[in-house]
Every structure is written in structure tokens, then in C-alpha cells.
Amino acid sequence: MRKLVMLIAFLATGWCAQAQYSVSGTVSNSQSFPLDGAHIHLDENHATASLPDGTYNLPGITAGSHRIVISYIGYKSLDTVVNLYRNLIIDARLKPENQQLQEVVVSQNLAAVTTVHTQKLNTATLEKFSGATLGDALREIAGVSSLRTGSTVVKPVINGLHSSRVPVFTNGVRLEDQQWGTEHAPNLDVNAAGKVTVIKGAGALQYSGDAVGGLVLVDPLNIDKDTLTGRTIMTADSNGRGGTLATSLYKGAEKGWAWNLGGTLKYLGDRQTPDYVLSNTGNREANFNSNLKYIGDKYTLGASYSFYNATIGIATATHIGSLGDLVTAINSRQPNVINPFTYRIGAPRQEVQHHLGKLNYNRELANGSSLSVQYAFQLNRRKEYDLRRGALENVAALDLTLATHAVNADWKKESGDNTYKAGTSVAYQQNNANPATGIRPLIPDYTKIDAGAYAITNHRFSNTLSGEAGLRYDFSHVLAKKYYQVSRWNDLGYNDGSFDHFIKEDLGTQYYTEPKFTYHNLSASLGIRKQLTDAIDLIGNVSLAMRNPNPSELFSDGLHHSNATIELGSLRTKKEESVKASVTLLKQAGRLTFELTPYINRINNFVYLQPTNLEYTIRGSFPVYRYRQTNALMAGTDLHLGYNITENLTYGLNAAYIYAQNTRDNLPLVDMPPANFANSLRFTQKKWYNFFAELRSETVCRQWRYPDYNFYADIPQTNGTVSTYVDISTPPAAYQLFHISTGAQFTLGKTTAAVSLSAFNLFNTTYRDYLNRQRLYVNETGRNIQLQVKLNY
């Protein structure tokens, strides 16, 4: 009863906590004989070995969900997830491996010496962002920023690169959700993720050869233990006056059937800045995810299905009627529409549905090798609604359906000091634009065929030195069916005869065309990892990546409703070619931990959007952006640092800086993240119901290195037109935000409850972010008080 009273008190006052505990126990074989030197690894930062009597101890672990792996040569590893809310004892009894496998397994740590450096978000961190997006959560990693369209559409930016340069893989499947758009956020539910991994650069060739910026791998929670567990997270937000409910149920198994089910509901209204309501910025989500697998002696058979369903409001102030009002809004930095708060989502808005189904089969083969085969199907339906009148008011102005079939096969073999990987993939994709919109589609109908193959080898030269090399080939063929207005065809410079072979029919005022492109790409990686001391590693990587132009860069022709911009692609767009080199100095043990990663990336034919002028249409007035290409040089440094000041007080720092230059025109590159720093100070005290309090500051400098693409526009006046300066390029001022969170945890029978209260943008600071596509029209959101309750049962 006393604990229940304390829980209610903390719910009322908003205190919450996160403490540190220990995991200990013994490791033995099936006959209960202790195993000396077994490897125990929890997440990335905690590892130890068992003593001669089989005992081990891992202290100083934060509360929450963690993955623990216990392995020993010649025995099957224990790999499971534990919910840690008190000191935990795990006594592991390992079963012998098949005798044939014992002959080739000489090290349980081959995977740990890969030269591809990864950075992870664990379940506890993802739970904190249950009511937010994947892009928001990834900002916890140094060097990862966010490209935003308002407050709810967030895309990850890795070392200045985003969109199709940063493929997202969910549950082993490359997400195909029309990710070409700068305002198309990944169509996945962050609550379905158990672990998120970021790979900066193109080193992981088994996933992709076009990851010029990096990769994001989203994996579901995996429980290989006979248990039934569940989780519910309730989040309430003051800014938007709504919240999120996410719940999931997991049935784990060491052998036999395992499954999980989960769902998320999200309902929020208009967001607010410190000074005004951001009209029409509410959002809704109703998501579902599921996994089913059968675990046999030497094989695993699995199936999964997920459904993402979102309605996202786009600020009304971004859609403006006249050219004069548009220029006034851009130059004055004042929104032209401010309405009272409402939960109603009108136009402009996005409605997105994404289905993803997968079948996979994994098999252990002879001689220490394994084979994995999977088939995945995705169906993405995107509707974008413009401000239309009359009978067209509820008819989408953009209605695209994207269907993707993909088959992958991957082989892996471990033999002595060597690891070999090889695989192949084939994908077929079809995009259909609904003609019922009555508007020429921004992206036309097209079909695309992709095929690829890779080979990677890893060799351990010694206990402290390993190297890795990889090679990948990709083939791609694209065929589009598109109508061009003759005036646009000429304006884009296609009347020089270069693309006459694409024209299939001359209809007078427009051409019917069938553009066709074929690409052959070669990607490669070379890496080395040297253990300098017991706690410090040095990792070096060089990679070559090639990225084909996406449909937006090739075919865009008209109004992009969510961005409130007219975008024009170019059939002359060539594939990007990137060569990136990076070095990581890594320390993961002791009171001081850090990751320091300087890098340099040279990209030929770098594609970017350049504002050129304004255009008036029957649907309003909008800035015009054209896709351009140049050669680019990008160099920067990412830093993550953690320091345990005392047993109860820790300090953290994330910092990133990037220098990005358009070397062809001798100008800075547009839309590059400015220097940024995030400091945190966290106090924990497990004796006070696992109390914790954290203060976090976020500093974003002004981007002083930017190209001046400002221009003059002819604005209609009573007596003709007036040439008016349009300041579309100047970045906003620097800003600093403060966030605070605090809380506690309680045990009620078999249920563990964690209650937290957080204040984001604590001082209600007014600011604009350079990487927000709506910064020309509105400010960022103000203070948000968030209450979160997590139940584990």
C-alpha cells in the first residue's frame, strides 16, 4: 500500500527516475560444471568474463530493457533481452553445439571485431521517444541531425546527408516509401523498434551500395527465452494537447514458436510556438506490428507484418495566395495565418498508409556456415491534399501508390580467423499516379528493376588487429511514363534534341514521353580495426558508393504540396559517386568513455535543390526549386563523450561540425547542418525509488557558411510590377534550448511502473531551425510538458 501511495504521489508531482543495477550469476554446462572464461556482453558498453568457479558480475547498468549475450566456445550462446529494474541474477546453463561446429569455432568474438563502426539506440532510449519520431530519437547520436517539415515530419540527416542517401532498413527490409521527398519521413512506428543502429558511411555493403550518407537499421525486440512479457507506454503532451498510447506483448522461446504483437495510437492537435498557434499542425497515427517465428534445431522460419497509418497536418501559413503576400511572409518572418487551437486537420495535409509483409528462412549449414533467404512485399499509398474548392475539396492533389517486391539471399561462414559473407538481391518496383486527381502528378508512373550482389571478407591478423574488405555490384533499370507541357520541356532545355528519343507522341501543347535509364554501379569498402589498449580501439574505413538519381530528382514537375514549393527535376541528372574516409577513436570502459570520428567525403555529381524564383498558379504562389548538380567536399568531426563524475552523477556531450563546399562553383553547400552541441548532466539515486533528474542543453550555432540564392521577383502592383528582393537563403540566428526530466520507478507485484515528467524547451524560447523546410514562414514549437507512464509486466 505504501508503494501504491508513493506511485500516485509521483504521478501528481511528475517525478521519475532511472537507476543503476547489477547483473550477476554463474555460467555452467548442462552437467552444472562451471565454465571458466565465458564471455558475458550486455549492450555495447558492459562486458566481462566468468571466473574459474563460473561466477560473473556486471555492475553499473541503467534501468530498462537490455540485450545480454553469454557465450562460450563449443556451446550454444544465450542471447536474450532482460527488463532491469532491480539487481538481477542470471544463472546460465549452456548446451553443447553440434560436434561438427565445434571443430571450426575458435573464437566467440569474430563479430565484435568488425571494422564497420556502429552506434546504437537501445530500448530504453527508444521508449523515451515513444510519442515522437525515429528522426527525433536518432538525434541522440552525435553527427545525426534532423531535416524537418514542420514539427511532425522528421528525416534523419547523417553527416549532412539525408533522404535516399540514407536508406532505412526495418526488420531486415529496405523501407520503400517514396523516401525521395525531403518531407517524406520514414513510414515506421518507433514503438515497434527494439534496437536502432546507425552506420555512418557505405561500409556495410551487405545492405546497400548507395548509402552515400549512411544506414539506419531498425530491428524489433527479440526475446530468445521461454517467457511471456508485455509493455505499455502512455505519453501525454501539453503542446498539441494530446498523447500516445503504445502497447506490445512478446512470447519468447529458446525453441519452438515465438511471437509478438504491438500497436500505437497517437492523437494531437495544433502545435504552438511561444507567440502563436501553428494552425493545421495536428497529427494522427494508428499503427500495428507483428512477428511470428518457429525456432528449430538448425533453422528458423519467420513471418512478419506491419501497418503504418498516419494523417499529418501541414501548417496553413505555408500556402499563400498572391505573390505579394508570399514575399511579405518570407521577408517579414511573420505567418500570414493564425487561427485558434483545434484538433481538426484540414488541407494541406498528408495521408499515408504503408503495408510491409515479410517471409524469411535461416538455416545453419555444415562447416560453420549459414544461409538466410527472405521475401518482402511493401505497398505504400500517399495522398497529399491541397487547398482546393468545390467538388475537388476532398480530392487529393497527389495520389501515389508504390508497390515493391524484393528477394534477398545471404550466406555467411566463420572459419578460424576469417569471416566470409556473400549475397544477392532482386527487387521490382512499380509506382502509379492516380489520374483522378485532375492534376499532372509531381512523380509519374514508373517501373524499376534492381539487382545486386556482394562479397565481404573479414580477417583477424591477431588478437588486437583485424581487417575487412568488401565489393558490391548493382544494376538498375527505370522506365517512366510522363506528360510534359511543351513550355516546360523548352524551359528545362530539352528542346536541344538530347531527349527527342523519349518523345512517343506530340499532343500539341504537351508531349507524351517514356524516359528510360539504365545504371551499372560498383561499390567497395576497406576497413581496419586496431585495439590500442584494453579500453581503446582505433577504427579506419574507406568506402566507395554510387547512388542513382531518384524519381524526384529526375522527373519532378510541379507543386510539392507538403513543402509548398514547385520542384523541377532534370533528365540530365547523373548518378552520385562518393569516396569517404573516416577514423574513429573509441573508448568504451572506465569512468571516461568517448567516440571521436573525423571524416572526409568527396561526392561527384552531388544533387541539391536550389531556389530560383517564385511562380503564381491557380492554387497559389510558391517558391520554385530546381535540382542542380555539382562536385562537393564534405569534412567534419563527430564527438560523443561520457564521464562518471561520481557514482550518482554523470556528464554527457554530443558535438558535431561539418564543412561542406560546392567545389565547382566555389560556394558553400546549401542546407548543411550548422555546428551543434548537446550537454547533459544526470543524477541518479536508487535508494529514492530509483530517482533520477537530468538537465540537458542543446546549442545550435548559426550557419554562417551558406550560398546566397536570394533573388528579385516581379510583384504585381496597381500600376504594373515592382522588382522585389526575396530573402530565401539567409539562415536564422543561433539558439540554445534547455530540457529537464525527472522521475521514479516502482514495483507493484509483478508489474514495474516508471513515471517521468519532462519539460522540453523549458524557457519557451522563440527560434527557427535552418534545417526546417517551413522556417521561411513560421517559428519552431515552444515549451512542451510531457508526462510518461511505462508499465512492464
Side-chain angles (χ1 to χ4, degrees):
M1 185 66 185
R2 179 171 174 266
K3 292 182 178 179
L4 180 60
V5 172
M6 288 296 296
L7 173 59
I8 296 173
F10 271 87
L11 279 168
T13 60
W15 293 98
C16 72
Q18 188 168 358
Q20 292 187 337
Y21 299 101
S22 66
V23 176
S24 60
T26 60
V27 183
S28 60
N29 63 15
S30 55
Q31 286 77 41
S32 298
F33 288 104
L35 297 178
D36 178 17
H39 180 73
I40 300 94
H41 191 93
L42 190 141
D43 294 336
E44 282 194 325
N45 301 324
H46 301 278
T48 189
S50 60
L51 299 175
D53 61 355
T55 61
Y56 69 92
N57 182 47
L58 285 171
I61 303 170
T62 57
S65 297
H66 299 273
R67 180 187 181 192
I68 186 170
V69 179
I70 302 177
S71 58
Y72 191 79
I73 299 173
Y75 289 81
K76 292 183 179 180
S77 298
L78 171 67
D79 187 345
T80 188
V81 174
V82 295
N83 289 319
L84 191 61
Y85 297 105
R86 55 184 176 270
N87 293 333
L88 187 64
I89 296 176
I90 299 178
D91 293 325
R93 297 182 66 184
L94 303 184
K95 299 178 180 179
E97 285 277 16
N98 181 279
Q99 184 64 34
Q100 285 185 309
L101 295 181
Q102 290 184 44
E103 294 175 357
V104 298
V105 176
V106 297
S107 172
Q108 73 274 31
N109 281 322
L110 282 174
V113 297
T114 176
T115 65
V116 177
H117 178 49
T118 63
Q119 294 168 286
K120 294 182 173 62
L121 297 178
N122 59 25
T123 304
T125 302
L126 293 170
E127 287 175 348
K128 185 172 67 173
F129 290 92
S130 173
T133 68
L134 175 66
D136 291 313
L138 287 171
R139 295 185 66 186
E140 295 286 292
I141 295 176
V144 180
S145 309
S146 297
L147 181 70
R148 295 176 173 270
T149 300
S151 57
T152 53
V153 179
V154 187
K155 302 195 72 162
V157 180
I158 299 178
N159 296 153
L161 302 173
H162 55 80
S163 301
S164 56
R165 299 185 184 97
V166 182
V168 176
F169 285 75
T170 174
N171 197 12
V173 179
R174 178 167 178 153
L175 196 63
E176 297 287 352
D177 55 353
Q178 293 150 344
Q179 66 273 19
W180 38 261
T182 54
E183 89 309 347
H184 296 180
N187 293 164
L188 59 85
D189 180 11
V190 69
N191 292 290
K195 179 181 67 176
V196 174
T197 304
V198 171
I199 302 174
K200 298 175 182 176
L205 295 180
Q206 67 266 40
Y207 297 103
S208 171
D210 62 351
V212 177
L215 290 163
V216 178
L217 310 178
V218 181
D219 296 308
L221 190 63
N222 185 33
I223 301 178
D224 294 329
K225 183 180 180 182
D226 292 320
T227 184
L228 180 65
T229 183
R231 178 189 69 178
T232 297
I233 304 175
M234 296 166 284
T235 305
D237 294 277
S238 65
N239 202 326
R241 307 182 194 181
T244 303
L245 173 64
T247 189
S248 54
L249 191 63
Y250 302 89
K251 171 62 174 70
E254 182 181 344
K255 191 175 181 180
W257 290 101
W259 52 265
N260 71 268
L261 297 171
T264 299
L265 295 174
K266 185 178 295 185
Y267 190 96
L268 291 110
D270 290 341
R271 305 313 201 275
Q272 290 184 262
T273 74
D275 305 307
Y276 49 80
V277 173
L278 292 167
S279 300
N280 198 54
T281 55
N283 65 303
R284 316 274 189 271
E285 285 186 24
N287 309 320
F288 171 78
N289 65 86
S290 62
N291 281 279
L292 175 67
K293 66 179 178 180
Y294 180 80
I295 305 169
D297 289 331
K298 293 186 178 182
Y299 72 93
T300 301
L301 181 64
S304 65
Y305 169 75
S306 65
F307 176 59
Y308 176 85
N309 183 27
T311 300
I312 303 169
I314 306 297
T316 307
T318 62
H319 283 239
I320 299 171
S322 70
L323 287 172
D325 290 342
L326 176 60
V327 173
T328 299
I330 293 174
N331 289 343
S332 68
R333 300 295 195 260
Q334 292 295 322
N336 68 328
V337 177
I338 300 176
N339 294 322
F341 172 88
T342 180
Y343 288 101
R344 180 181 179 272
I345 301 177
R349 70 179 183 275
Q350 299 179 1
E351 292 182 2
V352 182
Q353 294 184 337
H354 188 82
H355 302 264
L356 191 157
K358 186 187 82 164
L359 297 173
N360 65 282
Y361 177 75
N362 302 317
R363 180 79 183 185
E364 293 181 10
L365 305 175
N367 302 321
S369 60
S370 62
L371 178 67
S372 174
V373 180
Q374 76 172 29
Y375 162 76
F377 171 72
Q378 297 178 72
L379 182 66
N380 186 274
R381 183 75 182 274
R382 169 175 290 273
K383 295 182 180 181
E384 297 187 1
Y385 291 82
D386 197 4
L387 296 170
R388 310 178 79 178
R389 301 290 185 265
L392 297 174
E393 182 178 2
N394 293 316
V395 177
L398 180 70
D399 188 347
L400 302 177
T401 301
L402 183 70
T404 307
H405 301 264
V407 177
N408 300 71
D410 298 277
W411 172 83
K412 180 180 179 181
K413 178 180 175 62
E414 295 182 357
S415 176
D417 290 329
N418 298 296
T419 300
Y420 306 99
K421 297 179 183 178
T424 184
S425 61
V426 178
Y428 174 80
Q429 186 174 87
Q430 183 170 1
N431 183 70
N432 293 313
N434 188 351
T437 62
I439 298 174
R440 180 179 289 101
L442 176 71
I443 303 298
D445 292 353
Y446 70 84
T447 57
K448 185 159 72 84
I449 298 173
D450 295 320
Y454 72 89
I456 301 171
T457 180
N458 181 294
H459 178 71
R460 184 202 294 261
F461 298 99
S462 68
N463 289 333
T464 62
L465 179 65
S466 63
E468 186 172 277
L471 190 66
R472 182 182 178 104
Y473 166 76
D474 286 286
F475 165 85
S476 185
H477 177 78
V478 181
L479 173 63
K481 299 178 179 180
K482 179 173 175 56
Y483 290 89
Y484 279 97
Q485 289 180 323
V486 173
S487 58
R488 183 75 80 189
W489 182 270
N490 295 336
D491 176 59
L492 292 170
Y494 299 159
N495 56 344
D496 63 356
S498 300
F499 302 108
D500 286 353
H501 60 290
F502 289 161
I503 300 175
K504 300 304 178 182
E505 190 174 359
D506 186 344
L507 302 174
T509 60
Q510 60 182 346
Y511 296 135
Y512 169 69
T513 68
E514 292 186 359
K516 181 168 58 176
F517 299 93
T518 299
Y519 304 96
H520 300 273
N521 296 337
L522 193 65
S523 305
S525 66
L526 185 65
I528 193 166
R529 182 167 188 150
K530 172 65 176 176
Q531 184 177 351
L532 302 178
T533 69
D534 289 340
I536 300 178
D537 283 11
L538 183 67
I539 305 171
N541 280 282
V542 178
S543 60
L544 166 68
M546 297 184 182
R547 183 187 71 88
N548 302 327
N550 63 41
S552 180
E553 295 160 347
L554 287 170
F555 308 124
S556 286
D557 180 17
L559 177 61
H560 204 164
H561 309 277
S562 302
N563 275 347
T565 58
I566 293 172
E567 295 181 4
L568 302 177
S570 174
L571 297 177
R572 292 189 171 89
T573 306
K574 302 176 182 179
K575 63 184 178 184
E576 290 182 343
E577 298 179 352
S578 163
V579 177
K580 183 176 183 179
S582 66
V583 177
T584 299
L585 187 64
L586 182 67
K587 184 178 184 295
Q588 294 182 306
R591 295 179 63 182
L592 174 67
T593 60
F594 62 82
E595 297 178 15
L596 177 66
T597 305
Y599 60 88
I600 185 169
N601 195 357
R602 179 63 186 257
I603 306 176
N604 290 333
N605 302 318
F606 179 80
V607 182
Y608 65 98
L609 270 173
Q610 178 182 333
T612 57
N613 61 296
L614 306 178
E615 187 172 310
Y616 176 77
T617 73
I618 61 173
R619 296 191 297 271
S621 299
F622 305 96
V624 177
Y625 286 75
R626 294 176 183 259
Y627 282 99
R628 308 287 200 195
Q629 283 192 288
T630 187
N631 293 332
L633 176 66
M634 309 174 74
T637 301
D638 301 334
L639 171 65
H640 168 72
L641 184 147
Y643 184 66
N644 295 325
I645 302 172
T646 68
E647 182 181 355
N648 305 105
L649 189 64
T650 60
Y651 167 76
L653 168 68
N654 280 352
Y657 171 76
I658 182 172
Y659 170 93
Q661 183 75 0
N662 175 341
T663 57
R664 181 178 297 173
D665 301 326
N666 196 27
L667 291 171
L669 280 177
V670 68
D671 293 335
M672 289 292 122
N676 56 88
F677 311 88
N679 294 273
S680 63
L681 196 63
R682 184 182 185 91
F683 174 78
T684 60
Q685 178 52 265
K686 64 180 181 181
K687 296 179 181 179
W688 305 344
Y689 287 92
N690 304 329
F691 171 81
F692 88 92
E694 181 177 84
L695 176 65
R696 182 181 176 90
S697 73
E698 180 182 347
T699 303
V700 178
C701 302
R702 183 177 183 182
Q703 180 54 278
W704 292 102
R705 301 194 75 258
Y706 67 94
D708 186 352
Y709 292 140
N710 296 332
F711 53 82
Y712 285 86
D714 293 331
I715 306 303
Q717 301 291 337
T718 305
N719 298 321
T721 61
V722 175
S723 182
T724 305
Y725 184 71
V726 182
D727 186 2
I728 204 168
S729 300
T730 306
Y735 63 87
Q736 184 175 26
L737 307 178
F738 289 89
H739 319 293
I740 190 170
S741 58
T742 182
Q745 292 177 330
F746 304 87
T747 301
L748 302 172
K750 296 183 179 181
T751 300
T752 302
V755 188
S756 65
L757 185 71
S758 303
F760 303 101
N761 191 0
L762 178 63
F763 299 113
N764 211 23
T765 300
T766 298
Y767 70 102
R768 295 193 179 192
D769 191 280
Y770 181 56
L771 293 186
N772 193 329
R773 294 299 300 271
Q774 294 183 358
R775 67 175 174 82
L776 298 175
Y777 310 102
V778 294
N779 293 335
E780 298 289 335
T781 56
R783 182 189 299 116
N784 180 36
I785 307 297
Q786 183 182 90
L787 175 66
Q788 187 176 82
V789 179
K790 294 184 290 186
L791 303 175
N792 287 275
Y793 41 85

